[in-house]
């Protein structure tokens, strides 16, 4: 947002204040037009049984809302396999009619510290579901929390936070609207939530004998039958310990094997349970889930059993048919059949179309079996195949999203070079978003298995996803591993500088300028050591962008000149001249800035690069405003608007309209440009619309006073700090393109 005293404020929140006679309110998120109420909570399982007492308690809790409308938090706790997630979804389905603000859901993956979802990652998803445009989701977690609380303050929301790991993970994700309800599930007690938000805790016990037998018969799809088979169902339930997960595995086996009798199932489960009580081959006694799985596992064919084992080696958020095919080395169609076979026996869950996952207890069982039957060598080979699959698919998608940037990874050399269509680019973005958690886990797996070449290449392939969509905490965690891995790969020495530079841009986006500068310095040094001039030029230019963001205009200009000495590409040179002109304008060297920007414009015309020519025209208009030449600024910005209109970049068109308002000669003209900018920003979901609306309304209330204020401000408002910077090597997205 443009600051009326001569700067650009980056990020979504602007401090409330007063400028002359204009009172500015704090900017709040703008919701994309047409956004529907979120409905993220999955459907409950069809065979849910019991938990009537807990539902009665929850309903009674909600009845007290009139006396205390504060948002409610209920924590469902219990051992693994007790049915916490199913209970939360069942409760949500029964109660959703009470919550007209929509429903939110997140799997917090809290069964292990290493895989627990960061609050920032969940907040990005929630903000987008609530209607915030991806490009305006804040990078900083505290700003994300502030926006989430603002957007939920007037909504009556129903939220399910499944498989929580800690109180610190949960607190930022709690909606603030009166009457809202959040259901949290966890194996841990999370007692700190009671003091923090007055949470109510419900510990789920195992199912009673009657309800356990009822669940079994529902899952089997047939009645127990005569001649003592009822006792068989009750006996199976007893061996399953009343754990819904174990009951589901046993019941699904009976449903799939139509000739299997209750008595046979009872004997199988009893035998497995007796084996567990005495300890298996590994000398460990297993829980009822293992006993139930043993009976189903013996029914699997060799391929399905192998997929079950190998799929549990890592905490993959999802398994798809292509991934499963890579894991077991079989055709994709066959892998799809195997996943369906596993799902039919309740060994994996199809939680979305063609996407499967393990319950954490079943994943642990599968990993144990892989260790016994496949051994370390075959297990590592399977993980390696899956990592290479993820790398190839991510590299292909990354190239579709940003086709023109330079890349180092060998994975890109095997890709077709045809320019992707717009439809292909959109599908690639959708794939990257869907697979983000898998790809982040792939980076961790590659690092843990010591596959350094795959670690840094996976990071490089995630670049367009992070650049376009954010997820800054994932960006930081993966690329820190990428830096270490690249340094251990002497075959491609340029990779180290690449990783430092990409990490630097994550830090720059987060406003951590000193750390970003250190990362770019490391990138420049690494590239200098291996003689990679293109990488060094990019790193030095990036240092200039950091200094622009800090308002260190002289240092920024020095960096851009140093990068000019290194850059060899004509387009890189043209963009560096543009950067230099902006730095000179920031220094107040108006004549030098105008000359430099005119040279940049000439270079852009010669390339040709119509989009960046329009960007340079915009910078020329800003420089003219800074020099106090409103008439010239108006002419330049009019030409910039005409050129930008043909480029289909709505963000830049909105920015130019806002600048034209500053160059307007009359209050009526200023109001007209502000209206245009507001309408464009609102269509984009930009938070800048709110501040401009306040400015326009002030002009409408007192045009003469508004004109006087505008004239007083225009003498200083042109010395803008630089816009949010984008990576030098990336030409896309065009609405943010700044550099080489």
């Amino acid at each position: 947002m443009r600051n009326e005293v001569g700067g650009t404020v980056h990020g979504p929140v602007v401090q409330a204040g007063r400028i002359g006679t204009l009172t500015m309110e704090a900017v709040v998120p703008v919701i994309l037009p047409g956004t529907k109420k979120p409905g993220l909570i999955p459907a409950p399982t069809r065979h849910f049984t019991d938990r009537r007492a807990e539902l009665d308690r929850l309903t009674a809790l909600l009845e007290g809302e009139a006396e205390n409308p504060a948002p409610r938090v209920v924590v469902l706790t219990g051992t693994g396999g007790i049915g916490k997630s199913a209970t939360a979804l069942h409760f949500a389905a029964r109660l959703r009619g009470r919550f007209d603000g929509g429903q939110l859901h997140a799997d917090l993956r809290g069964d292990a510290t290493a895989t627990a979802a960061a609050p920032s990652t969940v907040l990005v998803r929630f903000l987008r579901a609530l209607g915030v445009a991806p490009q305006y989701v804040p990078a900083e977690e505290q700003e994300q929390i502030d926006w989430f609380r603002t957007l939920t303050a007037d909504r009556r929301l129903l939220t399910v936070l499944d498989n929580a790991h800690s109180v610190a993970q949960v607190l930022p994700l709690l909606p603030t609207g009166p009457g809202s309800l959040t259901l949290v599930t966890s194996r841990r007690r999370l007692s700190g939530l009671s003091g923090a938000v007055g949470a109510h805790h419900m510990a789920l016990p195992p199912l009673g004998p009657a309800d356990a037998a009822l669940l079994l018969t529902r899952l089997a799809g047939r009645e127990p039958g005569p001649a003592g088979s009822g006792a068989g169902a009750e006996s199976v339930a007893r061996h399953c310990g009343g754990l819904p997960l174990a009951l589901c595995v046993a019941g699904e086996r009976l449903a799939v094997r139509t000739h299997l009798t209750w008595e046979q199932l009872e004997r199988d489960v009893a035998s497995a349970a007796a084996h567990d009580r005495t300890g298996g081959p590994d000398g460990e006694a297993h829980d009822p889930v293992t006993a139930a799985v043993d009976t189903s596992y013996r029914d699997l064919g060799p391929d399905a059993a192998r997929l079950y084992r190998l799929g549990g080696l890592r905490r993959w958020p999802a398994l798809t048919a292509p991934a499963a095919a890579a894991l077991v080395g079989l055709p994709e169609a066959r892998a799809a059949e195997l996943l369906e076979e596993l799902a039919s026996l309740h060994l994996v869950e199809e939680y979305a179309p063609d996407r499967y996952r393990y319950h954490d207890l079943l994943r642990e069982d599968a990993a144990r079996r892989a260790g016994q039957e496949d051994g370390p060598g075959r297990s590592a080979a399977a993980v390696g195949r899956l990592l290479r699959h993820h790398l190839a698919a991510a590299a292909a998608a990354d190239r579709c999203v940003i086709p023109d940037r330079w890349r180092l990874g060998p994975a890109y050399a095997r890709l077709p070079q045809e320019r992707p269509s717009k439809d292909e680019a959109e599908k690639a973005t959708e794939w990257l978003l869907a697979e983000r958690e898998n790809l982040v886990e792939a980076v961790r797996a590659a690092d843990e298995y010591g596959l350094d070449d795959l670690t840094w290449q996976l990071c490089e392939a995630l670049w367009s996803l992070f650049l376009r969509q954010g997820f800054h905490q994932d960006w930081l965690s993966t690329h820190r591993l990428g830096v270490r891995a690249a340094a251990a790969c002497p075959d491609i020495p340029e990779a180290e500088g690449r990783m430092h530079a990409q990490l630097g841009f994550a830090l720059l986006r987060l406003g951590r300028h000193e750390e970003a500068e250190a990362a770019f310095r490391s990138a420049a040094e690494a590239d200098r050591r291996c003689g990679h001039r293109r990488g060094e030029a990019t790193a030095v230019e990036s240092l200039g962008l950091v200094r622009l963001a800090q308002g260190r205009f002289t240092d920024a200009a020095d960096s851009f000149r140093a990068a000019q000495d290194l850059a060899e590409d004509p387009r890189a040179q043209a963009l560096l001249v543009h950067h230099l002109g902006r730095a000179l304008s920031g220094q107040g060297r108006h004549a030098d800035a105008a000359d430099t920007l005119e040279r940049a414009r000439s270079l852009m015309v010669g390339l040709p690069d119509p989009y960046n020519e329009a960007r340079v025209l915009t910078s020329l208009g800003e420089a003219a405003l800074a020099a106090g030449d409103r008439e010239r600024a108006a002419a330049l910005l009019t030409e910039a608007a005409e050129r930008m209109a043909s480029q289909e970049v709505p963000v830049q068109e909105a920015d130019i309209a806002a600048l034209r308002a500053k160059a307007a000669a009359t209050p009526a003209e200023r109001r007209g440009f502000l209206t245009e900018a507001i309408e464009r920003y609102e269509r984009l979901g930009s938070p800048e619309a709110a501040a401009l609306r306040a400015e326009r309304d002030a002009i409408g209330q007192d045009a003469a006073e508004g004109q006087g204020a505008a004239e007083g401000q225009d003498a200083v408002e042109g010395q803008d700090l630089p816009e949010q910077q984008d990576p030098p090597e990336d030409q896309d997205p065009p609405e943010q393109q700044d550099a080489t």
Side-chain angles (χ1 to χ4, degrees):
M1 176 183 176
R2 297 298 170 190
N3 182 334
E4 295 297 330
V5 293
T8 299
V9 179
H10 299 294
V13 178
V14 177
Q15 179 68 40
R18 190 173 180 86
I19 303 170
T21 61
L22 177 63
T23 298
M24 303 287 288
E25 295 183 359
V27 175
V28 297
V30 175
I31 302 304
L32 283 168
T35 298
K36 297 180 180 179
K37 290 187 296 185
L40 304 186
I41 298 179
T45 177
R46 187 164 57 93
H47 298 300
F48 186 83
T49 303
D50 197 24
R51 307 306 186 196
R52 291 176 293 275
E54 288 81 4
L55 180 58
D56 289 344
R57 285 179 58 196
L58 180 58
T59 304
L61 175 65
L62 296 179
E63 296 303 329
E65 181 185 337
E67 300 175 2
N68 181 7
R72 304 305 205 259
V73 179
V74 176
V75 183
L76 303 177
T77 59
T79 187
I82 203 69
K84 299 181 294 296
S85 300
T87 301
L89 296 183
H90 176 71
F91 286 0
R94 294 287 298 270
L95 299 170
R96 72 175 64 207
R98 297 172 175 239
F99 301 92
D100 56 8
Q103 301 94 39
L104 299 173
H105 176 273
D107 180 0
L108 302 186
R109 304 184 66 203
D111 54 296
T113 302
T115 59
S120 177
T121 300
V122 179
L123 286 166
V124 169
R125 181 166 169 264
F126 281 1
L127 289 172
R128 293 179 61 173
L130 291 167
V132 179
Q135 64 268 37
Y136 298 118
V137 173
E140 195 67 52
E141 182 174 277
Q142 186 56 55
E143 289 186 35
Q144 295 168 359
I145 295 170
D146 293 342
W147 272 37
F148 180 66
R149 290 172 178 167
T150 298
L151 286 175
T152 61
D154 298 320
R155 291 175 182 254
R156 187 180 170 91
L157 280 164
L158 175 60
T159 303
V160 174
L161 302 176
D162 197 15
N163 197 12
H165 183 267
S166 66
V167 172
Q169 185 189 35
V170 169
L171 284 176
L173 308 178
L174 299 177
T176 58
S180 292
L181 171 65
T182 301
L183 300 174
V184 182
T185 75
S186 180
R187 292 187 190 180
R188 297 164 174 83
R189 298 185 65 177
L190 304 184
S191 55
L193 285 176
S194 298
V197 293
H200 297 262
H201 293 259
M202 295 185 187
L204 299 183
L207 295 179
D211 284 311
L214 177 60
L215 177 57
L216 274 173
T217 58
R218 287 176 174 176
L219 289 162
R222 45 179 152 149
E223 292 301 318
S229 56
E234 293 173 4
S235 178
V236 171
R238 186 172 62 255
H239 289 306
C240 290
L243 290 179
L245 178 60
L247 292 164
C248 286
V249 173
E252 291 287 356
R253 181 170 183 247
L254 201 64
V256 171
R257 294 189 59 189
T258 57
H259 298 293
L260 184 68
T261 67
W262 283 103
E263 289 79 9
Q264 289 172 316
L265 178 62
E266 178 189 359
R267 286 195 297 271
D268 289 347
V269 175
S271 174
H275 184 260
D276 289 335
R277 281 193 294 272
T278 59
D282 55 4
E284 297 179 358
H286 301 140
D287 58 33
V289 173
T290 303
V293 170
D294 280 340
T295 62
S296 295
Y297 183 74
R298 288 197 291 269
D299 289 341
L300 296 175
D303 289 342
R306 184 163 172 259
L307 176 56
Y308 171 72
R309 298 192 305 270
L310 297 178
L313 286 169
R314 300 289 306 181
R315 291 182 173 88
W316 301 112
L319 273 180
T320 61
L327 197 60
V328 294
L330 292 171
E332 185 175 327
R334 175 60 177 155
E337 294 173 357
L338 298 176
L339 285 169
E340 184 57 34
E341 180 179 351
L342 294 178
S344 71
L345 290 170
H346 211 80
L347 295 177
V348 297
E349 172 196 7
E350 187 179 16
Y351 70 95
D354 303 319
R355 297 183 72 80
Y356 300 81
R357 65 185 175 194
Y358 288 83
H359 187 284
D360 53 346
L361 292 182
L362 296 179
R363 188 203 63 78
E364 292 168 6
D365 175 82
R368 177 183 61 81
R369 295 177 192 271
Q372 293 173 351
E373 300 183 39
D374 299 286
R378 287 197 295 269
S379 295
V383 172
R385 286 193 301 271
L386 184 48
L387 293 178
R388 285 187 286 274
H389 158 78
H390 282 315
L391 173 58
D398 173 65
R399 187 188 175 279
C400 278
V401 177
I402 304 178
D404 296 320
R405 70 179 180 88
W406 58 273
R407 296 166 168 88
L408 292 172
Y412 291 97
R414 298 183 287 273
L415 297 176
Q417 299 304 305
E418 295 82 4
R419 190 171 186 84
S421 66
K422 182 178 180 181
D423 182 61
E424 288 173 326
E426 290 175 352
K427 289 181 178 178
T429 297
E430 291 173 2
W431 184 89
L432 285 166
L433 282 169
E435 295 297 320
R436 174 184 59 83
E437 290 183 321
N438 276 335
L439 295 172
V440 171
E441 176 63 20
V443 175
R444 295 194 193 105
D447 176 71
E448 290 178 22
Y449 277 79
L451 302 173
D452 295 325
D453 59 327
L454 297 183
T455 302
W456 75 261
Q457 286 190 78
L458 281 161
C459 290
E460 186 180 34
L462 282 164
W463 177 243
S464 62
L465 171 66
F466 292 149
L467 175 65
R468 286 286 193 90
Q469 306 296 331
F471 299 105
H472 293 81
Q473 298 307 314
D474 286 344
W475 190 347
L476 289 177
S477 65
T478 55
H479 279 67
R480 284 184 172 129
L481 297 177
V483 166
R484 188 209 59 75
C489 290
D491 292 345
I492 305 181
E494 300 90 345
E496 183 179 358
R498 182 67 160 167
M499 289 295 99
H500 277 297
Q502 291 191 349
L503 176 61
F505 269 99
L507 295 163
L508 178 56
R509 287 286 181 87
L510 288 165
R512 293 159 61 171
H513 293 142
E514 292 184 3
E515 293 175 78
E517 182 167 348
F520 290 132
R521 285 186 180 278
S522 296
E525 292 169 4
D527 284 314
R528 192 176 301 120
R529 284 197 304 270
C530 67
H532 187 214
R533 287 177 63 89
R534 186 173 193 174
E536 185 181 356
T538 295
V540 173
E541 178 187 6
S542 301
L543 283 169
L545 297 179
V546 174
R547 290 157 181 171
L548 270 182
Q550 294 174 305
R552 296 163 54 192
F553 300 114
T554 300
D555 292 340
D558 291 343
S559 293
F560 296 139
R561 292 189 183 98
Q564 284 179 307
D565 293 338
L566 293 164
E568 299 170 347
D569 178 68
R571 181 178 174 279
Q573 287 287 346
L575 289 168
L576 284 163
V577 174
H578 182 195
H579 289 331
L580 181 58
R582 292 163 62 198
L584 293 171
S585 181
Q587 290 177 273
R589 296 170 56 181
H590 303 307
D592 290 341
D595 289 344
T596 303
L597 290 169
E598 286 289 357
R599 183 157 59 92
R601 179 185 180 184
S602 177
L603 292 171
M604 295 300 180
V605 171
L607 285 174
D609 187 340
Y611 166 73
N612 271 304
E613 182 188 352
R615 286 294 301 272
V616 174
L617 281 166
T618 305
S619 295
L620 277 164
E622 292 181 279
L625 277 173
D629 191 344
R630 191 196 330 240
E631 184 175 351
R632 175 169 167 74
L636 287 164
L637 292 169
T638 298
E639 186 178 359
E642 293 170 353
R643 298 295 179 90
M644 198 63 77
S646 65
Q647 299 300 307
E648 298 183 357
V649 279
V651 172
Q652 296 296 341
E653 291 181 272
D655 290 345
I656 292 172
L659 285 170
R660 294 179 78 183
K662 293 182 179 182
T666 67
E669 188 179 43
R670 185 182 183 104
R671 182 180 175 86
F673 285 128
L674 285 172
T675 299
E676 177 187 347
I678 290 166
E679 290 174 350
R680 291 183 182 278
Y681 281 133
E682 285 180 339
R683 286 197 294 271
L684 295 165
S686 170
E688 301 203 19
L692 294 183
R693 191 182 300 108
E695 183 179 349
R696 182 193 62 183
D697 292 346
I699 294 173
Q701 292 166 4
D702 190 341
E705 191 175 23
Q707 182 179 14
E711 290 172 352
Q713 294 158 6
D714 283 339
V716 295
E717 67 189 0
Q719 295 183 9
D720 293 278
L721 296 177
E723 302 166 11
Q724 180 170 319
Q725 306 303 330
D726 279 325
E729 70 273 18
D730 292 300
Q731 298 186 26
D732 196 70
E735 65 268 20
Q736 298 177 338
Q737 177 182 330
D738 284 326
T740 53

